[in-house]
Amino acid sequence: MASKDALKVVVRLLPPEISEEELIATVPAAHLERTKWRNFQAGKRYKGEAKPSVNSRCYFQFDSEENADEFIKDYHGHQFVDGQGETFRAVACFAPYVKVPRQKASKDARDGTIFDDSIYKEFLETLEAPKEYEAPE
């Protein structure tokens, strides 16, 4: 299922209460150096049985498909034990949606130009001009 641009990997079925720092501590540093982007989605554990818990998940974008495939082979099946003694086996696979958010927002070309605008200067002049009150007749 890996396509030509399969650089994004999703790790699913993580414990609901795991934090991003705890997850990243379990990933080998060699794999973290090869990532360009990551996004952690926290899960939630519900107390009753009326609602099932929502597992955490984490997305990684790697710099090459070989590095992504190597990460999947190394990390798939990693076992976690939460505070309640429940075990979770992580499932690592290529993400079905391979796009990632833009890295940086584009700068607005009009940013900082309001002080040079003639309409804005006229507005400031009207604010500074003394107002004369005319009584109604």
Side-chain angles (χ1 to χ4, degrees), residues 17-109:
E17 297 166 340
I18 193 170
S19 68
E20 183 175 6
E21 293 78 27
E22 293 170 338
L23 173 67
I24 298 303
T26 65
V27 177
H31 292 303
L32 288 177
E33 293 170 357
R34 299 176 189 151
T35 60
K36 296 193 289 185
W37 172 85
R38 75 171 175 249
N39 182 12
F40 179 77
Q41 299 289 322
K44 183 169 182 174
R45 183 182 297 275
Y46 293 103
K47 295 188 180 190
E49 293 183 13
K51 272 183 143 178
S53 295
V54 178
N55 291 346
S56 299
R57 63 190 182 278
C58 190
Y59 298 92
F60 296 94
Q61 184 190 27
F62 288 90
D63 50 8
S64 71
E65 190 174 346
E66 293 80 25
N67 292 335
D69 199 32
E70 183 181 333
F71 173 78
I72 291 172
K73 289 177 183 173
D74 289 348
Y75 206 76
H76 183 74
H78 187 87
Q79 193 165 8
F80 293 92
V81 179
D82 67 355
Q84 299 178 351
E86 194 175 352
T87 60
F88 295 86
R89 294 188 82 99
V91 174
C93 60
F94 287 107
Y97 186 73
V98 296
K99 291 186 177 181
V100 295
R102 293 182 181 158
Q103 296 297 328
K104 58 182 177 180
S106 60
K107 187 176 189 301
D108 188 2

